Amino acid sequence: MIRNHRSVSALQAAHESPTLSHLAVLTKESSARLKSLERLIPGGILKNIKPGPIEGTTWCLLLDNNAVAAKLRQLTPALQAHLQSKGWEVTSIRLKVQMSSLTR
């Protein structure tokens, strides 16, 4: 068996693989969703939020700490309504607090 070992960029690999291509689209969409919410989220906590995975109609936000999670729980209905008004089918927003690398 002859193997052709050629290097490809991550972007090229994503375009050539249906699975990676789908993941790239979801990653881009997740970032776009968070960007659309920037004016609804208080600026002080925005830097503590990262876009997370999209699983069907559920979207996950990755948070740095519990204080951010508490504030976002209050804002979740407004955030979800805003996303739906922009055409994204989001029936729930999951909030996940990431463990600090200092506590691992």
Side-chain angles (χ1 to χ4, degrees), residues 13-33:
H15 289 299
E16 292 176 2
S17 165
T19 302
L20 289 177
S21 181
H22 180 67
L23 288 174
V25 167
L26 290 177
T27 300
K28 188 173 181 177
E29 181 179 326
S30 185
S31 294
R33 289 179 182 192

Side-chain angles (χ1 to χ4, degrees), residues 11-99:
L11 184 60
Q12 184 180 355
H15 289 299
E16 292 176 2
S17 165
T19 302
L20 289 177
S21 181
H22 180 67
L23 288 174
V25 167
L26 290 177
T27 300
K28 188 173 181 177
E29 181 179 326
S30 185
S31 294
R33 289 179 182 192
L34 183 57
K35 180 128 181 88
S36 80
L37 297 175
E38 284 180 350
R39 66 181 216 281
L40 300 175
I41 298 172
I45 67 169
L46 191 57
K47 66 180 185 256
N48 298 304
I49 305 169
K50 294 171 191 63
I54 298 170
E55 298 169 350
T57 60
T58 300
W59 180 42
C60 181
L61 290 173
L62 307 173
L63 314 172
D64 286 346
N65 58 60
N66 288 324
V68 173
K71 182 61 180 174
L72 283 183
R73 265 187 224 100
Q74 296 171 350
L75 296 174
T76 298
L79 300 178
Q80 188 174 329
H82 177 78
L83 291 169
Q84 289 173 344
S85 76
K86 296 292 183 182
W88 284 302
E89 187 180 346
V90 179
T91 58
S92 67
I93 298 174
R94 221 176 72 216
L95 305 175
K96 182 171 183 179
V97 177
Q98 299 287 99
M99 288 182 58

